[in-house]
Amino acid sequence: MIASAGALKTLVFVLDLGGTFVFALSGALAGVKRGLDFFGIVVLSFAAASSGGIARDLLIGATPPAAISDWRYLVVALFAGTMTFFWHAAIEKVHDSVLVFDAAGLALFAVAGTQKALAFDLNPVMAAVLGMVTGIGGGIVRDVLLNEVPAVLRAEIYAVAALAGAMVVVVGYLLSLPTTAVALVGAFLCFAIRMLALRRKWQLPRVPRGR
Amino acid sequence: MIASAGALKTLVFVLDLGGTFVFALSGALAGVKRGLDFFGIVVLSFAAASSGGIARDLLIGATPPAAISDWRYLVVALFAGTMTFFWHAAIEKVHDSVLVFDAAGLALFAVAGTQKALAFDLNPVMAAVLGMVTGIGGGIVRDVLLNEVPAVLRAEIYAVAALAGAMVVVVGYLLSLPTTAVALVGAFLCFAIRMLALRRKWQLPRVPRGR
Amino acid sequence: MIASAGALKTLVFVLDLGGTFVFALSGALAGVKRGLDFFGIVVLSFAAASSGGIARDLLIGATPPAAISDWRYLVVALFAGTMTFFWHAAIEKVHDSVLVFDAAGLALFAVAGTQKALAFDLNPVMAAVLGMVTGIGGGIVRDVLLNEVPAVLRAEIYAVAALAGAMVVVVGYLLSLPTTAVALVGAFLCFAIRMLALRRKWQLPRVPRGR
């Protein structure tokens, strides 16, 4: 049992750094496309990977945020940024795989973010919202820095997938279900919705523009 | 006396949610105009309604911010966003009434924001500034998310009205005048300046562009 | 010794307000160029001067941030904004001198920001990053408010100079070297790199755009 708890902790840690890495790639690729210099690309990497978690931690009063107190997130972002700077063409070729990892990162961030917000005694509704913010905040800051309307506000089922996963965690918490099982279900639900939305090009409804 | 204190509390609460609602409408309408999807419109609603108060609370160290710890603000923003999604044409027809409510929301937010900053022992000058930030912060975040230079920086008497109301609260605090009366005067002053500025198209001076 | 400590404190204070003033000028000039009104120009002044320090203080949990709890930063920004509003042509004529002061402000902010982060027990790597953020954060917020991709992400040796100065402070801290001497070396290094980069038009590498 102790061994499995240790294994789980290791798994979560690996997934956390993995999610950070994939989100950092998305920031770095966007920076390359906009012609940023090396420093700008690394900043975009770190911002895309960490802004969601930083926003959550500031809002729940958990200062300094994990991404600031632990230097490993910076190293991962630096690594992703450097890789992208030199091999962006190769990374874009495996774009579809990146999207899979991105969905996994989203699932992990949404679930872990919700758990942290609940641990800080936030009310359940807002804990789910902050879980979603953990997942989508990085992409929003990335797009604002690049002077674009955040993609997550315009199209695609992305935030909704994060919110669904976060809500599973909240419902499990309210029903006192076992944490790990609930987290796995929430993460799986988020991942599945996101992957299906990508495959089938699901979109949320918009108001017709030609008003 | 107790009854009237209760009535006042109810009044402030109603006004607070009312201000939140009207600010949320402004965010949602802006989102509809820019072709955001349903989720984006709701995010804009919440951001426009709550960012000013969230910024104030983060800056004075009141975490988690009221708009995060209390789920009712989210519900109001969700309601405003949904309404706007379906009936934006009707809402735009009553645009002039919306501006009146917006001025009322601004007055309330500026006064209440200043009071909260004073309660957290901020020095009076900066308390007035944070009161103003409470009033104008939402509009700034709304415009940044939509990739526009914030309207409040470009034209119109808007921030100045908020600042005037906030300063009344600060002066009353320094002179130990009765809180409620001072708040009413501050709110009225802000509302009056804003309405007059709208009617008479007052603007702040700019540097001539043809330099 | 006490006298020299007092003199040093005065020097740091003068430099701090001086750096604030020069950064505020950069914000105000950018605001004038984009046709903001008087209020917008003052907001840009304050944002450019204080956002870096505010971000650092929020991230390390030092609320309220110094720029909010001390009204003198606001007064300096107000003064810079007003000056620029009336005499922007004259200020632009001395643009080269402004760049020298800007480099001095950057050096001071980076060093002082790193020291503050270390004093709040941040790990050394991230303390250097936050020192850099103190120096470059204001320019980033200024550019985002003006709807531009932050200049610091696109070109020029600016952040790197700040990071170099910050790293000197961290290394000195780890080796327990005398604080004042280390701060002077760090500030000088940052200033020198920035001035050289300006003179020789040094730039960081970019990915070629014609991919």
Side-chain angles (χ1 to χ4, degrees):
Chain A
M1 191 61 201
I2 288 168
S4 92
L8 184 72
K9 231 179 186 172
T10 309
L11 178 68
V12 167
F13 181 66
V14 168
L15 284 174
D16 192 15
L17 290 188
T20 301
F21 181 72
V22 176
F23 279 30
L25 282 186
S26 85
L29 279 175
V32 167
K33 272 186 198 149
R34 293 293 296 266
L36 301 190
D37 64 18
F38 179 71
F39 173 76
I41 288 168
V42 170
V43 169
L44 262 278
S45 294
F46 185 70
S50 304
S51 299
I54 289 175
R56 177 204 59 215
D57 286 353
L58 289 180
L59 289 171
I60 63 178
T63 52
I68 299 294
S69 62
D70 186 336
W71 53 268
R72 283 175 297 196
Y73 296 96
L74 178 68
V75 169
V76 168
L78 197 60
F79 183 62
T82 311
M83 259 184 68
T84 309
F85 186 77
F86 288 111
W87 300 303
H88 54 92
I91 291 169
E92 288 198 348
K93 266 185 207 143
V94 294
H95 186 241
D96 285 359
S97 329
V98 170
L99 283 179
V100 175
F101 284 106
D102 184 79
L106 182 69
L108 178 78
F109 279 25
V111 166
T114 308
Q115 287 178 327
K116 185 160 185 182
L118 287 171
F120 273 74
D121 277 330
L122 230 67
N123 82 66
V125 175
M126 297 310 294
V129 169
L130 284 186
M132 183 188 73
V133 166
T134 310
I136 71 174
I140 291 179
V141 171
R142 173 197 68 206
D143 293 349
V144 166
L145 284 175
L146 288 176
N147 201 9
E148 287 167 11
V149 177
V152 72
L153 302 182
R154 278 177 304 170
E156 295 193 13
I157 305 290
Y158 193 89
V160 170
L163 191 58
M167 274 163 44
V168 168
V169 175
V170 165
V171 169
Y173 168 83
L174 292 177
L175 301 178
S176 305
L177 299 178
T179 315
T180 310
V182 164
L184 289 174
V185 172
F188 177 76
L189 181 66
C190 171
F191 182 76
I193 294 177
R194 176 66 187 143
M195 290 311 295
L196 278 169
L198 277 173
R199 293 276 151 92
R200 308 199 174 169
K201 303 198 185 303
W202 284 344
Q203 296 215 330
L204 286 182
R206 296 197 209 189
V207 173
R209 297 207 69 166
R211 285 172 310 119
Chain B
M1 192 60 200
I2 289 170
S4 93
L8 184 70
K9 232 178 185 173
T10 309
L11 178 68
V12 167
F13 181 66
V14 168
L15 283 174
D16 192 15
L17 290 187
T20 301
F21 182 72
V22 176
F23 278 31
L25 281 186
S26 85
L29 279 174
V32 166
K33 272 187 197 147
R34 293 294 296 265
L36 301 191
D37 64 19
F38 179 70
F39 173 76
I41 289 168
V42 170
V43 169
L44 262 278
S45 295
F46 186 69
S50 304
S51 298
I54 289 176
R56 176 204 59 213
D57 286 351
L58 289 180
L59 290 171
I60 62 179
T63 52
I68 299 294
S69 63
D70 186 336
W71 52 268
R72 284 175 296 197
Y73 296 96
L74 178 68
V75 169
V76 168
L78 198 59
F79 184 61
T82 310
M83 260 185 69
T84 308
F85 186 78
F86 289 110
W87 301 303
H88 55 92
I91 291 169
E92 288 198 347
K93 266 184 206 145
V94 294
H95 186 240
D96 284 0
S97 329
V98 170
L99 283 178
V100 175
F101 284 105
D102 183 80
L106 182 69
L108 178 77
F109 280 24
V111 165
T114 308
Q115 288 178 326
K116 185 160 185 182
L118 287 170
F120 273 74
D121 277 331
L122 229 66
N123 83 64
V125 175
M126 296 312 293
V129 170
L130 285 187
M132 182 188 74
V133 166
T134 309
I136 71 174
I140 291 179
V141 171
R142 174 198 67 207
D143 293 350
V144 166
L145 284 176
L146 289 175
N147 201 10
E148 287 168 11
V149 177
V152 72
L153 303 181
R154 278 177 305 169
E156 296 193 11
I157 304 289
Y158 193 88
V160 169
L163 192 58
M167 274 162 45
V168 167
V169 174
V170 165
V171 169
Y173 169 82
L174 292 176
L175 300 178
S176 305
L177 299 179
T179 315
T180 310
V182 165
L184 289 175
V185 172
F188 177 77
L189 181 66
C190 172
F191 182 76
I193 293 177
R194 177 64 188 144
M195 290 312 295
L196 278 169
L198 277 173
R199 293 276 150 92
R200 307 199 176 169
K201 303 197 187 303
W202 283 344
Q203 296 215 331
L204 286 182
R206 295 197 208 189
V207 173
R209 298 207 67 167
R211 285 172 310 121
Chain C
M1 192 60 200
I2 289 170
S4 92
L8 184 70
K9 231 179 186 173
T10 309
L11 178 68
V12 167
F13 181 66
V14 168
L15 284 174
D16 193 15
L17 289 188
T20 301
F21 181 72
V22 176
F23 278 32
L25 282 186
S26 84
L29 279 174
V32 166
K33 272 186 197 147
R34 292 294 296 266
L36 301 191
D37 64 18
F38 179 71
F39 172 76
I41 289 168
V42 169
V43 169
L44 261 278
S45 295
F46 186 69
S50 304
S51 298
I54 289 176
R56 177 203 59 214
D57 286 351
L58 289 181
L59 289 171
I60 63 179
T63 51
I68 299 295
S69 62
D70 186 336
W71 52 269
R72 284 174 296 197
Y73 296 95
L74 179 68
V75 169
V76 168
L78 198 60
F79 184 62
T82 310
M83 260 185 68
T84 309
F85 186 78
F86 288 110
W87 300 302
H88 54 93
I91 291 169
E92 289 198 347
K93 266 185 205 144
V94 293
H95 186 241
D96 285 359
S97 330
V98 169
L99 283 179
V100 176
F101 283 107
D102 184 79
L106 181 69
L108 178 77
F109 279 25
V111 165
T114 308
Q115 287 178 327
K116 184 159 186 184
L118 287 171
F120 273 74
D121 278 330
L122 230 65
N123 83 65
V125 175
M126 297 310 295
V129 170
L130 285 186
M132 183 188 73
V133 166
T134 310
I136 71 174
I140 290 179
V141 172
R142 173 198 67 207
D143 293 350
V144 166
L145 284 176
L146 288 176
N147 201 10
E148 287 167 11
V149 177
V152 73
L153 303 180
R154 277 176 306 168
E156 295 194 10
I157 305 289
Y158 193 89
V160 169
L163 191 58
M167 273 161 46
V168 168
V169 174
V170 165
V171 169
Y173 169 82
L174 291 178
L175 300 178
S176 305
L177 300 178
T179 315
T180 309
V182 164
L184 289 175
V185 171
F188 176 76
L189 181 66
C190 172
F191 182 76
I193 294 177
R194 176 66 187 143
M195 291 311 295
L196 278 169
L198 277 173
R199 292 277 150 90
R200 308 199 174 167
K201 303 199 187 302
W202 284 344
Q203 296 215 330
L204 286 182
R206 295 197 210 189
V207 173
R209 298 208 66 167
R211 286 172 308 123

